[in-house]
Amino acid sequence: MIKAINHDQNSLQQISQPASQNDRQVGRDLADTLAAHHDHCVGMAANMINVHKRIIAVSMGPVDVVMFNPVITAKSQPYQTKEGCLSLTGERPAKRYKRIELDYRDMDWHKRHITLTAFTAEIVQHEIDHCDGILI
């Protein structure tokens, strides 16, 4: 189900709690909401739909991937960039890494490990910051 976008900075700065298998519907709602905003959004965290759980959805080419409890396990090649956010106005500076390794659980609650680079890595870092209550 498509959900409303949270713009409350106090709410967005709350640290998200770990997700459980019972939160899979939140993952589906997050994916639906991301799909509804594809023309101007490439990733979302659950707090952006006012659910404070560690869940993100990321556009990876032709498919959107929902990740539960994502954790960056390695990162390299730092750089500075500017990012926008559906929950905030304008662009702001951010430090990111060109290559990251990530552990997470998928929609079937299977453990996954993935290496991401370039723009996809940047999107994931932005959304994990949301889970940690960090706004750009």
Side-chain angles (χ1 to χ4, degrees):
M1 175 183 288
I2 299 169
K3 300 290 185 174
I5 302 300
N6 180 10
H7 297 281
D8 180 348
Q9 289 192 22
N10 289 327
S11 172
L12 292 166
Q13 290 176 323
Q14 292 179 22
I15 296 172
S16 296
Q17 298 300 309
S20 72
Q21 291 186 53
N22 295 331
D23 295 313
R24 284 189 264 198
Q25 183 59 50
V26 176
R28 286 187 283 275
D29 292 344
L30 195 59
D32 290 346
T33 306
L34 176 59
H37 294 277
H38 262 164
D39 62 329
H40 57 283
C41 184
V42 291
M44 298 187 78
N47 66 356
M48 293 174 68
I49 59 170
N50 219 15
V51 177
H52 292 87
K53 294 288 187 150
R54 295 189 72 82
I55 308 167
I56 67 174
V58 178
S59 292
M60 292 188 180
V63 65
D64 292 340
V65 177
V66 176
M67 301 177 181
F68 295 87
N69 301 319
V71 175
I72 296 172
T73 59
K75 54 190 175 185
S76 62
Q77 301 173 304
Y79 67 100
Q80 292 292 323
T81 189
K82 287 188 177 184
E83 296 175 348
C85 180
L86 191 59
S87 290
L88 305 169
T89 57
E91 287 188 340
R92 297 181 174 123
K95 179 181 179 181
R96 298 293 180 222
Y97 295 86
K98 290 182 183 177
R99 183 185 179 281
I100 63 171
E101 292 184 37
L102 183 74
D103 289 336
Y104 69 96
R105 290 193 179 265
D106 66 17
M107 285 293 288
D108 295 321
W109 214 251
H110 296 125
K111 289 183 180 181
R112 301 286 181 202
H113 181 84
I114 190 170
T115 299
L116 300 172
T117 60
F119 189 56
T120 306
E122 184 177 328
I123 298 165
V124 167
Q125 291 169 80
H126 178 104
E127 303 315 331
I128 289 176
D129 276 358
H130 268 293
C131 292
D132 293 333
I134 299 168
L135 300 179
I136 56 169

